[in-house]
Amino acid sequence: KNLANNGELHEEDDLGRPRAVKGAAAASEEPYEGNTTFVGRVTRDMIMKEGWIFKRSRYLQQWKKRYAVLTKDHLLTFREKGTYINPTEAIKMDVCSTVKSSDDEINKEFSFKLDIAGTTFFFYAESYEEKEGWIGALGRSMIKPSIMIDEAFDNEYM
């Protein structure tokens, strides 16, 4: 049973007590739940970037070496290279808001962070070039295809 109360939608539980109903806006503000979005297997033609990086665990804050695979839809991390099933983390790229360097923020050289719906993932690479490569690839995968500008036209507008 739905009840309107102060402009909010509520529902009653089995005992008739009102409870709030979460809408899309409320759900988007909740912390990112992680590995709930990827089912299937990664094939070579899906891979945009891959390589070893270190990922900080969300709860214990420990650095774990992971093999990362970026597809057009997900950033996936695995314990081993070449075994592209059952990722340790699956991050949907369309919910990511920012990717940027975090060297100063966490005092870790070659580090970067990915912000997603109230959750921040920290990573670090083994070199500056690798870090910049990941930041660039992740940034490009966050851009929706409908707003990407064809590189062939870039020079015409300059």
Side-chain angles (χ1 to χ4, degrees):
K1 189 184 214 184
N2 291 335
L3 306 169
N5 184 9
N6 296 333
E8 294 180 359
L9 188 62
H10 290 266
E11 215 166 77
E12 291 180 353
D13 65 10
D14 295 337
L15 300 175
R17 297 175 296 205
R19 67 176 177 216
V21 177
K22 292 181 182 174
S28 67
E29 294 171 9
E30 291 182 6
Y32 184 71
E33 291 298 321
N35 194 5
T36 59
T37 59
F38 184 79
V39 177
R41 179 182 288 271
V42 176
T43 58
R44 300 289 317 156
D45 61 319
M46 295 168 65
I47 299 172
M48 297 172 60
K49 181 168 179 59
E50 64 182 318
W52 289 103
I53 58 174
F54 291 84
K55 179 187 169 293
R56 191 166 79 177
S57 63
R58 283 190 272 176
Y59 304 109
L60 299 177
Q61 305 295 299
Q62 296 175 335
W63 291 101
K64 305 279 187 178
K65 189 172 187 176
R66 296 290 185 241
Y67 196 77
V69 174
L70 178 63
T71 69
K72 76 177 183 86
D73 298 318
H74 292 87
L75 174 61
L76 308 165
T77 61
F78 301 93
R79 286 186 177 87
E80 299 175 19
K81 179 181 178 178
T83 308
Y84 302 140
I85 54 172
N86 300 321
T88 60
E89 193 73 66
I91 300 169
K92 280 187 65 75
M93 295 310 298
D94 64 355
V95 296
C96 295
S97 57
T98 59
V99 59
K100 60 184 171 183
S101 177
S102 61
D103 291 11
D104 294 335
E105 182 177 346
I106 62 170
N107 200 26
K108 187 89 174 151
E109 192 174 35
F110 313 134
S111 65
F112 57 99
K113 68 180 184 176
L114 196 55
D115 291 320
I116 303 145
T119 300
T120 301
F121 292 90
F122 289 97
F123 303 90
Y124 77 88
E126 294 182 342
S127 71
Y128 176 80
E129 292 76 21
E130 271 295 302
K131 170 188 142 177
E132 291 299 312
W134 278 107
I135 290 173
L138 290 164
R140 284 187 298 277
S141 71
M142 289 165 53
I143 298 171
K144 305 290 179 270
S146 61
I147 61 170
M148 286 183 75
I149 298 172
D150 188 334
E151 290 179 11
F153 294 106
D154 284 355
N155 293 333
E156 292 182 21
Y157 298 106
M158 295 184 160

